Amino acid sequence: MHNEREASSSSSIAPPPPLPSWADLPAEITANILLRLETIEILESAQRVCTSWWKVCHDPAMWRVVDLKYNIFSSIRDRVLEKICKIAVDRSQGQLLKISIVNFGSTDLLNYIAQSKYVDEAGIFYCCRVQNETLLMLCWEERKRRGTVKRDERRKSLVKQQREDCANQSFDSESESWRQSHALSSTILEEQLIAVRCTKLRYARIRGRAVPQGSIVHSLTLHFCKRLNPWLESVTS
Amino acid sequence: MASSSSSSKTGLKKMLTLKSSDGDEFELEESIVIQCQTIKHMVEDGFSLIPLQNVDTKTLTKIIEYMKKHAEKTESNKEEIKNFNKEFVKGSFDDQFELVSAANYLHINGLMDLLCQSIADRINNKSVRAVREIFNISNDYTPDEEEKVRDEHKWAHEGGEFDESLD
């Protein structure tokens, strides 16, 4: 249905110039605007506005960074978020640089990301449900100077199941519990990193959510050395 | 309105002239104008009168206002700049169409960021219909296509909690 604006300011002196239609904006500018929207917004709303926006929303360049978050207050269920995530991975067509998944995710989703032929050339975030309420994210960045990681190796590492028994703790406050979380996280990460044979891990980010219906999300980021062992080099908040 | 040059008594400072598509000329210090990558390159090529055929006077005036303010940026007035930015994007939405096109053409990255973010904020949480209205976009999908696009992600919009208002 057309939503032409009527010349509502009817009897003024001169007819005002026609209002610009934002559909006529060059695609690169439209993309610059739309990529600031949340993934879900792009799928549910922006791409349905008009055909030129649809085209922009299907451009892989729009999908380099994917950021999805499950929020207990939102009506969007985590199952839906998983589907959205898969669409995002598909649309990126290999240009995905960073994917961040918070408070949802499953082995199935990880496998999907890992096995997608598109993600092979990208460094990706890796997220796992460690315990119902805690998520572990690892990120590694492919550095090609020393040769690439073998694809199989990386896939294996991604597909490797997460052990679920070591994160049954939450962090009380970001600052106070650093010591504790430090110890905690290195255990978790050790599992992970041994699975991850490659040496490309640059940093990991851990987010824990206080357990029963806690609405506080704590997060911290750990920096790792590039070697296999998960030595913690430095910490930033 | 042309602002005929005012402060050319600064002597040492190198001045440049920008000419809008309406033919108005603005004289500015080079240090202000080089925030704009397109002009910077022209200056490097030796131009001092810079015709901007894609930018009308109204838009150029706004952009100059932005560049002047941002040329004053220091460590200590961050807050002030922030407030300026906030006010800057408050203006008429239709003006922003011209502004963002010009900022893109001129390659003023900071301004581009500011505008795109503020425009994106207007889309946030809006229904498709509201977005079309706000952005003066007519629906050019055929009914068939529209249904297809909607069905593509039928699972996603079962909530239907999008905002229909136009503000």
Side-chain angles (χ1 to χ4, degrees):
Chain A
M1 117 201 30
H2 284 248
N3 276 325
E4 301 286 350
R5 284 204 183 168
E6 308 287 329
S8 46
S9 49
S10 47
S11 56
S12 30
I13 318 111
L19 294 168
S21 166
W22 288 74
D24 300 335
L25 211 59
E28 56 170 318
I29 306 180
T30 306
N32 196 337
I33 295 168
L34 297 184
L35 61 78
R36 292 158 202 267
L37 298 174
E38 289 190 27
T39 310
I40 193 156
E41 196 95 18
I42 295 171
L43 294 176
E44 286 194 20
S45 140
Q47 69 171 3
R48 292 169 58 206
V49 168
C50 63
T51 55
S52 66
W53 283 25
W54 185 91
K55 269 189 217 124
V56 169
C57 294
H58 279 73
D59 181 353
M62 282 280 291
W63 301 93
R64 291 196 177 124
V65 177
V66 174
D67 200 348
L68 287 166
K69 225 177 259 181
Y70 173 68
N71 177 345
I72 50 168
F73 302 112
S74 153
S75 64
I76 299 154
R77 283 167 302 143
D78 54 348
R79 186 101 23 103
V80 173
L81 281 173
E82 267 190 47
K83 287 190 196 163
I84 290 174
C85 188
K86 287 180 182 176
I87 294 172
V89 170
D90 290 346
R91 287 202 188 171
S92 73
Q93 292 190 27
Q95 297 194 25
L96 186 61
L97 295 172
K98 203 167 129 190
I99 176 165
S100 157
I101 298 162
V102 179
N103 288 341
F104 72 100
S106 63
T107 312
D108 172 55
L109 180 62
L110 290 184
N111 287 347
Y112 190 86
I113 297 172
Q115 277 158 13
S116 155
K117 62 179 188 285
Y118 297 131
V119 197
D120 277 344
E121 302 302 330
I124 63 170
F125 258 102
Y126 172 26
C127 145
C128 221
R129 189 186 291 266
V130 180
Q131 249 285 333
N132 288 344
E133 302 287 344
T134 314
L135 279 169
L136 171 63
M137 283 194 202
L138 302 178
C139 164
W140 60 103
E141 188 181 283
E142 189 152 13
R143 302 186 321 151
K144 296 194 170 163
R145 260 175 281 146
R146 292 190 183 177
T148 46
V149 198
K150 281 188 187 143
R151 290 178 185 182
D152 285 350
E153 215 175 325
R154 204 162 62 193
R155 279 194 187 155
K156 239 184 268 163
S157 68
L158 279 166
V159 173
K160 175 113 183 168
Q161 275 271 356
Q162 174 64 40
R163 283 180 51 172
E164 297 211 335
D165 54 6
C166 43
N168 193 15
Q169 288 184 47
S170 56
F171 312 134
D172 288 337
S173 81
E174 274 171 311
S175 52
E176 176 269 328
S177 63
W178 161 240
R179 238 163 244 251
Q180 178 204 347
S181 54
H182 176 119
L184 172 68
S185 53
S186 36
T187 345
I188 309 166
L189 292 172
E190 208 154 359
E191 299 291 338
Q192 209 63 58
L193 291 187
I194 289 166
V196 177
R197 287 259 176 56
C198 72
T199 57
K200 308 300 175 192
L201 185 71
R202 297 289 297 284
Y203 64 89
R205 186 178 300 164
I206 297 180
R207 285 154 201 253
R209 207 170 74 202
V211 190
Q213 292 131 17
S215 53
I216 309 159
V217 177
H218 306 286
S219 87
L220 48 95
T221 307
L222 317 171
H223 284 264
F224 285 83
C225 69
K226 295 121 205 152
R227 294 279 150 204
L228 177 67
N229 291 331
W231 300 124
L232 304 176
E233 263 187 347
S234 60
V235 183
T236 57
S237 70
Chain B
M1 250 162 274
S3 81
S4 45
S5 64
S6 50
S7 61
S8 39
K9 38 186 128 89
T10 31
L12 286 170
K13 282 180 181 153
K14 193 173 165 198
M15 303 301 282
L16 293 172
T17 305
L18 307 186
K19 191 169 169 186
S20 76
S21 61
D22 308 322
D24 294 320
E25 295 187 0
F26 298 82
E27 197 176 30
L28 291 157
E29 283 169 29
E30 184 185 286
S31 61
I32 291 173
V33 177
I34 55 169
Q35 291 175 71
C36 154
Q37 293 299 316
T38 306
I39 296 178
K40 192 174 166 197
H41 292 146
M42 292 182 80
V43 173
E44 283 162 6
D45 289 343
F47 287 86
S48 60
L49 171 66
I50 295 164
L52 301 169
Q53 271 135 17
N54 298 334
V55 188
D56 61 25
T57 297
K58 188 176 167 197
T59 309
L60 187 56
T61 313
K62 262 313 239 178
I63 286 183
I64 289 171
E65 185 193 336
Y66 174 91
M67 288 197 293
K68 276 187 175 159
K69 190 73 198 176
H70 279 254
E72 299 166 7
K73 198 150 75 183
T74 60
E75 277 303 301
S76 55
N77 66 357
K78 275 185 185 154
E79 201 54 33
E80 193 187 326
I81 298 275
K82 225 170 111 186
N83 291 335
F84 171 85
N85 284 349
K86 227 192 242 166
E87 287 301 312
F88 191 83
V89 291
K90 260 190 187 162
S92 137
F93 200 53
D94 294 321
D95 292 346
Q96 291 196 9
F97 183 92
E98 296 300 331
L99 271 175
V100 78
S101 307
N104 186 55
Y105 164 69
L106 294 170
H107 289 279
I108 311 173
N109 297 338
L111 180 57
M112 201 59 196
D113 258 353
L114 177 67
L115 290 167
C116 287
Q117 189 58 54
S118 115
I119 296 162
D121 290 345
R122 291 291 303 272
I123 302 175
N124 228 343
N125 280 324
K126 293 288 178 194
S127 72
V128 175
R129 201 141 34 105
V131 173
R132 283 186 193 137
E133 186 76 15
I134 294 168
F135 289 83
N136 188 30
I137 293 173
S138 48
N139 180 7
D140 61 347
Y141 280 119
T142 65
D144 268 5
E145 285 170 338
E146 189 163 30
E147 200 170 332
K148 241 188 201 160
V149 182
R150 196 176 44 223
D151 285 354
E152 200 182 350
H153 309 302
K154 210 171 192 166
W155 41 267
H157 36 87
E158 50 203 19
E161 77 280 20
F162 282 98
D163 184 357
E164 296 278 351
S165 68
L166 303 179
D167 40 61

